[in-house]
Short mmCIF file of all heavy atoms in Angstrom, two decimals:
data_model
loop_
_atom_site.label_atom_id
_atom_site.label_comp_id
_atom_site.label_asym_id
_atom_site.label_seq_id
_atom_site.Cartn_x
_atom_site.Cartn_y
_atom_site.Cartn_z
N MET F 55 54.39 -43.86 4.17
CA MET F 55 53.51 -43.17 3.28
C MET F 55 53.08 -41.83 3.93
O MET F 55 52.79 -41.79 5.12
CB MET F 55 52.22 -44.02 3.00
CG MET F 55 51.32 -43.39 2.00
SD MET F 55 50.13 -44.64 1.48
CE MET F 55 48.74 -43.58 1.20
N THR F 56 53.04 -40.75 3.15
CA THR F 56 52.73 -39.45 3.71
C THR F 56 51.22 -39.15 3.67
O THR F 56 50.56 -39.71 2.75
CB THR F 56 53.48 -38.30 2.93
OG1 THR F 56 53.07 -38.35 1.58
CG2 THR F 56 54.99 -38.49 3.10
N ASP F 57 50.70 -38.37 4.54
CA ASP F 57 49.36 -37.98 4.59
C ASP F 57 49.04 -36.97 3.50
O ASP F 57 49.73 -35.90 3.51
CB ASP F 57 48.98 -37.47 5.92
CG ASP F 57 47.53 -37.08 6.10
OD1 ASP F 57 46.76 -37.32 5.21
OD2 ASP F 57 47.14 -36.46 7.15
N PRO F 58 48.03 -37.14 2.57
CA PRO F 58 47.83 -36.14 1.50
C PRO F 58 46.99 -34.99 2.00
O PRO F 58 46.85 -34.03 1.31
CB PRO F 58 47.05 -36.99 0.48
CG PRO F 58 46.36 -38.08 1.30
CD PRO F 58 47.34 -38.36 2.40
N ALA F 59 46.45 -35.02 3.17
CA ALA F 59 45.57 -33.92 3.73
C ALA F 59 46.30 -32.60 3.69
O ALA F 59 45.68 -31.57 3.26
CB ALA F 59 45.10 -34.28 5.06
N PRO F 60 47.49 -32.46 4.21
CA PRO F 60 48.14 -31.10 4.13
C PRO F 60 48.29 -30.61 2.72
O PRO F 60 48.17 -29.41 2.46
CB PRO F 60 49.51 -31.33 4.83
CG PRO F 60 49.32 -32.55 5.64
CD PRO F 60 48.34 -33.38 5.01
N ASP F 61 48.49 -31.48 1.73
CA ASP F 61 48.61 -31.13 0.37
C ASP F 61 47.29 -30.55 -0.14
O ASP F 61 47.26 -29.59 -0.96
CB ASP F 61 49.01 -32.27 -0.57
CG ASP F 61 50.46 -32.74 -0.20
OD1 ASP F 61 51.28 -31.88 0.38
OD2 ASP F 61 50.76 -33.91 -0.51
N ARG F 62 46.23 -30.98 0.38
CA ARG F 62 44.83 -30.54 0.02
C ARG F 62 44.70 -29.09 0.48
O ARG F 62 44.29 -28.22 -0.20
CB ARG F 62 43.70 -31.36 0.59
CG ARG F 62 43.54 -32.70 -0.25
CD ARG F 62 42.58 -33.62 0.43
NE ARG F 62 42.17 -34.73 -0.34
CZ ARG F 62 42.95 -35.65 -0.89
NH1 ARG F 62 44.25 -35.57 -0.85
NH2 ARG F 62 42.44 -36.67 -1.61
N LEU F 63 45.06 -28.85 1.76
CA LEU F 63 44.97 -27.49 2.32
C LEU F 63 45.90 -26.58 1.55
O LEU F 63 45.56 -25.44 1.33
CB LEU F 63 45.27 -27.49 3.82
CG LEU F 63 44.19 -28.22 4.70
CD1 LEU F 63 44.63 -28.12 6.18
CD2 LEU F 63 42.80 -27.55 4.53
N ARG F 64 47.06 -27.04 1.24
CA ARG F 64 48.03 -26.15 0.53
C ARG F 64 47.50 -25.83 -0.89
O ARG F 64 47.63 -24.73 -1.28
CB ARG F 64 49.43 -26.96 0.41
CG ARG F 64 50.43 -26.26 -0.49
CD ARG F 64 50.88 -24.96 -0.01
NE ARG F 64 51.67 -25.17 1.19
CZ ARG F 64 51.98 -24.22 2.06
NH1 ARG F 64 51.65 -22.97 1.83
NH2 ARG F 64 52.67 -24.54 3.12
N ALA F 65 46.90 -26.83 -1.50
CA ALA F 65 46.30 -26.58 -2.85
C ALA F 65 45.20 -25.54 -2.77
O ALA F 65 45.07 -24.62 -3.66
CB ALA F 65 45.76 -27.84 -3.50
N LEU F 66 44.39 -25.59 -1.74
CA LEU F 66 43.32 -24.68 -1.59
C LEU F 66 43.87 -23.28 -1.22
O LEU F 66 43.37 -22.24 -1.82
CB LEU F 66 42.32 -25.15 -0.49
CG LEU F 66 41.54 -26.34 -0.83
CD1 LEU F 66 40.85 -26.95 0.44
CD2 LEU F 66 40.50 -26.03 -1.93
N GLU F 67 44.85 -23.21 -0.40
CA GLU F 67 45.52 -21.88 -0.01
C GLU F 67 46.17 -21.24 -1.27
O GLU F 67 46.00 -20.12 -1.57
CB GLU F 67 46.54 -22.05 1.03
CG GLU F 67 45.86 -22.29 2.43
CD GLU F 67 46.89 -22.52 3.50
OE1 GLU F 67 48.03 -23.00 3.27
OE2 GLU F 67 46.50 -22.22 4.69
N ASP F 68 46.83 -22.14 -2.03
CA ASP F 68 47.52 -21.65 -3.31
C ASP F 68 46.46 -21.14 -4.32
O ASP F 68 46.76 -20.20 -5.01
CB ASP F 68 48.34 -22.74 -3.91
CG ASP F 68 49.58 -23.10 -3.07
OD1 ASP F 68 49.91 -22.32 -2.17
OD2 ASP F 68 50.17 -24.12 -3.43
N ALA F 69 45.26 -21.69 -4.24
CA ALA F 69 44.17 -21.17 -5.14
C ALA F 69 43.46 -19.91 -4.68
O ALA F 69 42.66 -19.43 -5.37
CB ALA F 69 43.22 -22.33 -5.45
N GLY F 70 43.82 -19.54 -3.46
CA GLY F 70 43.24 -18.33 -2.97
C GLY F 70 42.09 -18.48 -1.95
O GLY F 70 41.42 -17.53 -1.61
N PHE F 71 41.87 -19.68 -1.49
CA PHE F 71 40.82 -19.88 -0.46
C PHE F 71 41.30 -19.35 0.84
O PHE F 71 42.42 -19.53 1.27
CB PHE F 71 40.52 -21.38 -0.33
CG PHE F 71 39.67 -21.96 -1.41
CD1 PHE F 71 40.22 -22.45 -2.54
CD2 PHE F 71 38.25 -21.92 -1.36
CE1 PHE F 71 39.51 -22.99 -3.66
CE2 PHE F 71 37.50 -22.47 -2.42
CZ PHE F 71 38.12 -22.95 -3.51
N PRO F 72 40.50 -18.56 1.56
CA PRO F 72 40.87 -17.90 2.78
C PRO F 72 40.74 -18.86 3.95
O PRO F 72 39.88 -18.77 4.80
CB PRO F 72 39.90 -16.71 2.93
CG PRO F 72 38.63 -17.23 2.23
CD PRO F 72 39.16 -18.12 1.07
N LEU F 73 41.61 -19.83 4.01
CA LEU F 73 41.51 -20.92 5.04
C LEU F 73 41.80 -20.32 6.36
O LEU F 73 41.31 -20.91 7.44
CB LEU F 73 42.50 -21.98 4.69
CG LEU F 73 42.28 -22.71 3.37
CD1 LEU F 73 43.29 -23.93 3.25
CD2 LEU F 73 40.86 -23.24 3.22
N HIS F 74 42.52 -19.27 6.56
CA HIS F 74 42.79 -18.67 7.85
C HIS F 74 41.51 -18.22 8.54
O HIS F 74 41.49 -18.09 9.76
CB HIS F 74 43.77 -17.55 7.70
CG HIS F 74 43.23 -16.41 6.88
ND1 HIS F 74 43.31 -16.37 5.49
CD2 HIS F 74 42.68 -15.20 7.24
CE1 HIS F 74 42.73 -15.29 5.05
NE2 HIS F 74 42.31 -14.58 6.08
N SER F 75 40.51 -17.99 7.84
CA SER F 75 39.28 -17.47 8.47
C SER F 75 38.28 -18.59 8.80
O SER F 75 37.22 -18.33 9.32
CB SER F 75 38.54 -16.46 7.50
OG SER F 75 38.14 -17.09 6.31
N LEU F 76 38.70 -19.85 8.51
CA LEU F 76 37.82 -20.98 8.85
C LEU F 76 38.13 -21.54 10.20
O LEU F 76 39.26 -21.40 10.68
CB LEU F 76 38.08 -22.08 7.81
CG LEU F 76 37.76 -21.75 6.32
CD1 LEU F 76 38.07 -22.93 5.45
CD2 LEU F 76 36.32 -21.30 6.15
N SER F 77 37.07 -22.12 10.75
CA SER F 77 37.25 -22.80 12.02
C SER F 77 38.08 -24.09 11.89
O SER F 77 38.15 -24.60 10.75
CB SER F 77 35.81 -23.15 12.69
OG SER F 77 35.27 -24.18 11.91
N PRO F 78 38.65 -24.57 12.95
CA PRO F 78 39.31 -25.90 12.88
C PRO F 78 38.43 -27.04 12.36
O PRO F 78 38.91 -27.84 11.58
CB PRO F 78 39.77 -26.19 14.33
CG PRO F 78 39.82 -24.82 15.00
CD PRO F 78 38.75 -24.01 14.36
N GLU F 79 37.15 -26.99 12.68
CA GLU F 79 36.23 -27.97 12.18
C GLU F 79 36.07 -27.88 10.68
O GLU F 79 35.99 -28.91 9.94
CB GLU F 79 34.86 -27.89 12.86
CG GLU F 79 34.91 -28.20 14.38
CD GLU F 79 35.39 -27.02 15.27
OE1 GLU F 79 35.57 -25.92 14.77
OE2 GLU F 79 35.54 -27.25 16.44
N GLN F 80 35.96 -26.65 10.15
CA GLN F 80 35.85 -26.45 8.72
C GLN F 80 37.11 -26.89 8.01
O GLN F 80 37.07 -27.54 6.86
CB GLN F 80 35.47 -25.00 8.40
CG GLN F 80 34.15 -24.62 8.90
CD GLN F 80 33.91 -23.14 8.73
OE1 GLN F 80 34.77 -22.29 9.06
NE2 GLN F 80 32.69 -22.74 8.37
N ARG F 81 38.23 -26.61 8.55
CA ARG F 81 39.55 -27.03 7.98
C ARG F 81 39.64 -28.54 7.92
O ARG F 81 40.12 -29.16 7.02
CB ARG F 81 40.75 -26.39 8.76
CG ARG F 81 40.84 -24.91 8.55
CD ARG F 81 41.90 -24.30 9.39
NE ARG F 81 43.21 -24.84 9.00
CZ ARG F 81 44.07 -24.22 8.12
NH1 ARG F 81 43.72 -23.05 7.50
NH2 ARG F 81 45.26 -24.73 7.81
N GLU F 82 39.07 -29.18 8.96
CA GLU F 82 39.11 -30.67 9.01
C GLU F 82 38.29 -31.23 7.90
O GLU F 82 38.66 -32.20 7.28
CB GLU F 82 38.56 -31.13 10.34
CG GLU F 82 38.70 -32.60 10.57
CD GLU F 82 38.27 -33.01 11.99
OE1 GLU F 82 38.55 -32.26 12.90
OE2 GLU F 82 37.66 -34.16 12.11
N VAL F 83 37.10 -30.61 7.56
CA VAL F 83 36.31 -31.05 6.50
C VAL F 83 37.06 -30.91 5.19
O VAL F 83 37.09 -31.90 4.39
CB VAL F 83 34.99 -30.19 6.41
CG1 VAL F 83 34.24 -30.53 5.12
CG2 VAL F 83 34.10 -30.51 7.58
N LEU F 84 37.75 -29.85 5.00
CA LEU F 84 38.54 -29.68 3.80
C LEU F 84 39.72 -30.66 3.70
O LEU F 84 39.99 -31.08 2.57
CB LEU F 84 39.12 -28.21 3.66
CG LEU F 84 37.96 -27.15 3.51
CD1 LEU F 84 38.57 -25.80 3.52
CD2 LEU F 84 37.23 -27.43 2.19
N GLN F 85 40.33 -31.00 4.87
CA GLN F 85 41.34 -31.96 4.82
C GLN F 85 40.87 -33.38 4.38
O GLN F 85 41.59 -34.11 3.85
CB GLN F 85 41.97 -32.10 6.24
CG GLN F 85 42.82 -31.00 6.67
CD GLN F 85 43.35 -31.18 8.02
OE1 GLN F 85 42.77 -31.87 8.87
NE2 GLN F 85 44.49 -30.48 8.33
N GLY F 86 39.60 -33.59 4.60
CA GLY F 86 38.96 -34.85 4.23
C GLY F 86 38.44 -35.02 2.85
O GLY F 86 37.78 -36.01 2.47
N LEU F 87 38.64 -34.01 2.07
CA LEU F 87 38.05 -33.97 0.69
C LEU F 87 38.75 -35.10 -0.14
O LEU F 87 39.91 -35.39 0.03
CB LEU F 87 38.40 -32.68 -0.11
CG LEU F 87 37.67 -31.42 0.43
CD1 LEU F 87 38.23 -30.18 -0.44
CD2 LEU F 87 36.18 -31.57 0.21
N SER F 88 37.89 -35.73 -0.95
CA SER F 88 38.42 -36.77 -1.87
C SER F 88 39.15 -36.02 -3.00
O SER F 88 39.00 -34.85 -3.11
CB SER F 88 37.28 -37.63 -2.42
OG SER F 88 36.50 -36.84 -3.29
N THR F 89 39.91 -36.75 -3.72
CA THR F 89 40.56 -36.09 -4.86
C THR F 89 39.59 -35.51 -5.83
O THR F 89 39.83 -34.41 -6.35
CB THR F 89 41.48 -37.24 -5.60
OG1 THR F 89 42.39 -37.72 -4.64
CG2 THR F 89 42.18 -36.65 -6.77
N GLU F 90 38.51 -36.17 -6.06
CA GLU F 90 37.44 -35.68 -7.02
C GLU F 90 36.83 -34.42 -6.35
O GLU F 90 36.59 -33.46 -7.17
CB GLU F 90 36.41 -36.75 -7.20
CG GLU F 90 36.87 -37.99 -7.92
CD GLU F 90 37.62 -39.01 -7.05
OE1 GLU F 90 37.55 -38.88 -5.83
OE2 GLU F 90 38.28 -39.86 -7.63
N GLU F 91 36.58 -34.38 -5.11
CA GLU F 91 36.00 -33.17 -4.54
C GLU F 91 36.94 -31.99 -4.62
O GLU F 91 36.59 -30.87 -4.89
CB GLU F 91 35.58 -33.46 -3.05
CG GLU F 91 34.50 -34.40 -2.89
CD GLU F 91 34.24 -34.85 -1.41
OE1 GLU F 91 35.27 -35.00 -0.71
OE2 GLU F 91 33.05 -35.01 -1.10
N LEU F 92 38.28 -32.25 -4.35
CA LEU F 92 39.28 -31.18 -4.42
C LEU F 92 39.30 -30.67 -5.83
O LEU F 92 39.32 -29.45 -6.02
CB LEU F 92 40.62 -31.70 -3.95
CG LEU F 92 41.78 -30.71 -4.04
CD1 LEU F 92 41.52 -29.51 -3.14
CD2 LEU F 92 43.09 -31.37 -3.68
N THR F 93 39.37 -31.51 -6.80
CA THR F 93 39.46 -31.16 -8.18
C THR F 93 38.23 -30.26 -8.62
O THR F 93 38.37 -29.23 -9.23
CB THR F 93 39.50 -32.38 -9.09
OG1 THR F 93 40.74 -33.14 -8.71
CG2 THR F 93 39.54 -31.96 -10.55
N LEU F 94 37.01 -30.71 -8.21
CA LEU F 94 35.80 -29.92 -8.41
C LEU F 94 35.88 -28.57 -7.82
O LEU F 94 35.55 -27.52 -8.45
CB LEU F 94 34.62 -30.73 -7.94
CG LEU F 94 33.25 -29.99 -8.11
CD1 LEU F 94 32.94 -29.80 -9.53
CD2 LEU F 94 32.17 -30.85 -7.44
N LEU F 95 36.26 -28.48 -6.54
CA LEU F 95 36.33 -27.20 -5.83
C LEU F 95 37.33 -26.27 -6.53
O LEU F 95 37.00 -25.12 -6.65
CB LEU F 95 36.65 -27.50 -4.41
CG LEU F 95 36.50 -26.33 -3.40
CD1 LEU F 95 35.01 -25.76 -3.48
CD2 LEU F 95 36.78 -26.85 -2.00
N LEU F 96 38.46 -26.78 -6.82
CA LEU F 96 39.49 -25.98 -7.44
C LEU F 96 38.99 -25.47 -8.86
O LEU F 96 39.26 -24.37 -9.20
CB LEU F 96 40.82 -26.69 -7.53
CG LEU F 96 41.51 -26.93 -6.28
CD1 LEU F 96 42.72 -27.88 -6.50
CD2 LEU F 96 41.90 -25.70 -5.55
N GLY F 97 38.31 -26.37 -9.56
CA GLY F 97 37.72 -25.92 -10.92
C GLY F 97 36.70 -24.86 -10.79
O GLY F 97 36.70 -23.94 -11.59
N LEU F 98 35.87 -24.99 -9.78
CA LEU F 98 34.82 -23.98 -9.59
C LEU F 98 35.43 -22.69 -9.19
O LEU F 98 35.09 -21.57 -9.73
CB LEU F 98 33.85 -24.43 -8.45
CG LEU F 98 32.93 -25.56 -8.84
CD1 LEU F 98 32.18 -26.06 -7.62
CD2 LEU F 98 31.96 -25.10 -9.92
N LYS F 99 36.47 -22.66 -8.36
CA LYS F 99 37.13 -21.45 -7.93
C LYS F 99 37.79 -20.75 -9.16
O LYS F 99 37.70 -19.56 -9.34
CB LYS F 99 38.17 -21.73 -6.83
CG LYS F 99 39.11 -20.60 -6.46
CD LYS F 99 38.38 -19.73 -5.46
CE LYS F 99 39.34 -18.76 -4.75
NZ LYS F 99 39.74 -17.63 -5.51
N GLU F 100 38.38 -21.56 -10.02
CA GLU F 100 39.09 -21.04 -11.19
C GLU F 100 38.00 -20.32 -12.05
O GLU F 100 38.27 -19.28 -12.62
CB GLU F 100 39.77 -22.19 -11.93
CG GLU F 100 40.55 -21.76 -13.11
CD GLU F 100 41.35 -22.83 -13.74
OE1 GLU F 100 41.90 -23.70 -13.00
OE2 GLU F 100 41.36 -22.88 -14.95
N ARG F 101 36.93 -21.02 -12.33
CA ARG F 101 35.85 -20.42 -13.16
C ARG F 101 35.31 -19.17 -12.54
O ARG F 101 35.00 -18.18 -13.27
CB ARG F 101 34.73 -21.49 -13.39
CG ARG F 101 35.26 -22.62 -14.32
CD ARG F 101 34.32 -23.75 -14.37
NE ARG F 101 32.99 -23.37 -14.67
CZ ARG F 101 31.94 -24.26 -14.55
NH1 ARG F 101 32.11 -25.42 -14.13
NH2 ARG F 101 30.71 -23.89 -14.82
N LEU F 102 35.10 -19.13 -11.22
CA LEU F 102 34.55 -17.93 -10.51
C LEU F 102 35.58 -16.84 -10.65
O LEU F 102 35.14 -15.65 -10.91
CB LEU F 102 34.22 -18.26 -9.09
CG LEU F 102 33.04 -19.15 -8.84
CD1 LEU F 102 32.91 -19.57 -7.43
CD2 LEU F 102 31.72 -18.42 -9.29
N ASP F 103 36.85 -17.10 -10.47
CA ASP F 103 37.84 -16.07 -10.52
C ASP F 103 37.93 -15.47 -12.03
O ASP F 103 38.15 -14.31 -12.23
CB ASP F 103 39.24 -16.67 -10.17
CG ASP F 103 39.29 -16.86 -8.64
OD1 ASP F 103 38.44 -16.38 -7.91
OD2 ASP F 103 40.32 -17.54 -8.27
N ALA F 104 37.79 -16.38 -13.01
CA ALA F 104 37.80 -15.92 -14.39
C ALA F 104 36.62 -14.98 -14.70
O ALA F 104 36.79 -14.12 -15.53
CB ALA F 104 37.77 -17.18 -15.35
N ALA F 105 35.49 -15.18 -14.06
CA ALA F 105 34.33 -14.35 -14.28
C ALA F 105 34.38 -13.08 -13.48
O ALA F 105 33.69 -12.15 -13.86
CB ALA F 105 33.07 -15.15 -13.99
N GLU F 106 35.19 -13.10 -12.45
CA GLU F 106 35.15 -11.98 -11.51
C GLU F 106 35.48 -10.63 -12.13
O GLU F 106 34.74 -9.68 -11.92
CB GLU F 106 36.08 -12.28 -10.35
CG GLU F 106 36.08 -11.17 -9.30
CD GLU F 106 36.95 -11.51 -8.09
OE1 GLU F 106 37.65 -12.57 -8.17
OE2 GLU F 106 36.98 -10.76 -7.10
N PRO F 107 36.54 -10.48 -12.87
CA PRO F 107 36.88 -9.13 -13.41
C PRO F 107 35.76 -8.43 -14.21
O PRO F 107 35.40 -7.33 -14.08
CB PRO F 107 38.16 -9.33 -14.24
CG PRO F 107 38.73 -10.52 -13.61
CD PRO F 107 37.53 -11.41 -13.17
N GLU F 108 35.08 -9.30 -15.02
CA GLU F 108 33.99 -8.73 -15.86
C GLU F 108 32.83 -8.40 -14.96
O GLU F 108 32.21 -7.36 -15.17
CB GLU F 108 33.56 -9.76 -16.90
CG GLU F 108 32.53 -9.19 -17.84
CD GLU F 108 32.38 -10.12 -19.07
OE1 GLU F 108 33.27 -10.84 -19.47
OE2 GLU F 108 31.29 -10.01 -19.67
N VAL F 109 32.50 -9.14 -14.05
CA VAL F 109 31.35 -8.82 -13.16
C VAL F 109 31.71 -7.56 -12.35
O VAL F 109 30.87 -6.68 -12.21
CB VAL F 109 31.13 -10.01 -12.13
CG1 VAL F 109 30.13 -9.63 -11.10
CG2 VAL F 109 30.56 -11.19 -12.95
N GLN F 110 32.89 -7.42 -11.86
CA GLN F 110 33.31 -6.29 -11.14
C GLN F 110 33.27 -5.06 -12.01
O GLN F 110 32.84 -3.96 -11.62
CB GLN F 110 34.68 -6.38 -10.54
CG GLN F 110 34.78 -7.27 -9.31
CD GLN F 110 36.16 -7.36 -8.70
OE1 GLN F 110 37.15 -7.07 -9.38
NE2 GLN F 110 36.24 -7.80 -7.46
N ALA F 111 33.73 -5.16 -13.25
CA ALA F 111 33.70 -4.05 -14.16
C ALA F 111 32.30 -3.55 -14.49
O ALA F 111 32.02 -2.33 -14.43
CB ALA F 111 34.44 -4.44 -15.49
N HIS F 112 31.44 -4.55 -14.65
CA HIS F 112 29.97 -4.11 -14.81
C HIS F 112 29.43 -3.43 -13.64
O HIS F 112 28.70 -2.47 -13.81
CB HIS F 112 29.17 -5.34 -15.26
CG HIS F 112 29.46 -5.90 -16.64
ND1 HIS F 112 29.12 -5.14 -17.75
CD2 HIS F 112 29.96 -7.00 -17.05
CE1 HIS F 112 29.51 -5.85 -18.82
NE2 HIS F 112 30.00 -6.98 -18.45
N SER F 113 29.73 -3.95 -12.49
CA SER F 113 29.15 -3.35 -11.28
C SER F 113 29.64 -1.91 -11.09
O SER F 113 29.02 -1.06 -10.63
CB SER F 113 29.31 -4.26 -10.08
OG SER F 113 30.62 -4.33 -9.73
N GLU F 114 30.94 -1.79 -11.31
CA GLU F 114 31.59 -0.45 -11.17
C GLU F 114 31.03 0.52 -12.15
O GLU F 114 30.71 1.67 -11.79
CB GLU F 114 33.04 -0.51 -11.29
CG GLU F 114 33.77 -1.24 -10.16
CD GLU F 114 35.19 -1.53 -10.42
OE1 GLU F 114 35.75 -1.07 -11.39
OE2 GLU F 114 35.78 -2.32 -9.59
N ILE F 115 30.83 0.13 -13.44
CA ILE F 115 30.30 1.00 -14.43
C ILE F 115 28.84 1.27 -14.11
O ILE F 115 28.41 2.41 -14.11
CB ILE F 115 30.41 0.37 -15.85
CG1 ILE F 115 31.92 0.31 -16.20
CG2 ILE F 115 29.64 1.14 -16.81
CD1 ILE F 115 32.24 -0.51 -17.43
N ALA F 116 28.06 0.23 -13.86
CA ALA F 116 26.66 0.43 -13.57
C ALA F 116 26.42 1.22 -12.28
O ALA F 116 25.62 2.09 -12.20
CB ALA F 116 25.94 -0.90 -13.44
N GLY F 117 27.25 0.99 -11.22
CA GLY F 117 27.12 1.69 -9.98
C GLY F 117 27.40 3.12 -10.16
O GLY F 117 26.77 4.03 -9.66
N GLY F 118 28.50 3.39 -11.00
CA GLY F 118 28.76 4.89 -11.19
C GLY F 118 27.81 5.50 -12.11
O GLY F 118 27.45 6.69 -11.85
N ALA F 119 27.16 4.79 -12.98
CA ALA F 119 26.18 5.40 -13.88
C ALA F 119 24.87 5.60 -13.19
O ALA F 119 24.16 6.62 -13.49
CB ALA F 119 25.97 4.56 -15.16
N LEU F 120 24.51 4.76 -12.30
CA LEU F 120 23.19 4.81 -11.63
C LEU F 120 23.21 5.69 -10.40
O LEU F 120 22.21 6.28 -10.01
CB LEU F 120 22.74 3.42 -11.23
CG LEU F 120 22.48 2.47 -12.44
CD1 LEU F 120 22.13 1.07 -11.82
CD2 LEU F 120 21.35 3.01 -13.29
N PHE F 121 24.38 5.86 -9.78
CA PHE F 121 24.43 6.64 -8.53
C PHE F 121 25.36 7.80 -8.77
O PHE F 121 26.00 8.35 -8.11
CB PHE F 121 24.79 5.73 -7.34
CG PHE F 121 23.84 4.62 -7.13
CD1 PHE F 121 24.10 3.33 -7.46
CD2 PHE F 121 22.58 4.87 -6.60
CE1 PHE F 121 23.36 2.31 -7.30
CE2 PHE F 121 21.67 3.83 -6.40
CZ PHE F 121 22.02 2.55 -6.77
#
């Protein structure tokens, strides 16, 4: 039976999490995520990414208009 932990890190990397900037201890925590925790984290990242362009656009417009 194969260890699912590397698949968890791969899924997080594929979703755009900057795992290279984490300490080995932090990566170990992510390796130990349950399936439910991984699903929740990936879902949150997806929702944050979906909101990002609009938030950036507002800040760029507001920043340019105010300064």
Side-chain angles (χ1 to χ4, degrees):
M55 186 168 145
T56 61
D57 180 8
D61 294 337
R62 283 172 170 56
L63 292 180
R64 172 66 67 196
L66 292 169
E67 286 178 333
D68 289 348
F71 284 88
L73 299 184
H74 62 278
S75 64
L76 298 179
S77 70
E79 294 82 8
Q80 291 170 322
R81 291 175 64 92
E82 188 175 324
V83 169
L84 293 175
Q85 286 178 336
L87 290 176
S88 69
T89 301
E90 294 80 13
E91 290 169 327
L92 179 63
T93 300
L94 176 64
L95 192 55
L96 292 173
L98 289 170
K99 174 82 166 77
E100 185 177 319
R101 289 169 51 194
L102 289 170
D103 287 349
E106 183 177 4
E108 187 167 333
V109 171
Q110 284 182 341
H112 287 295
S113 68
E114 289 171 9
I115 293 169
L120 295 175
F121 300 106

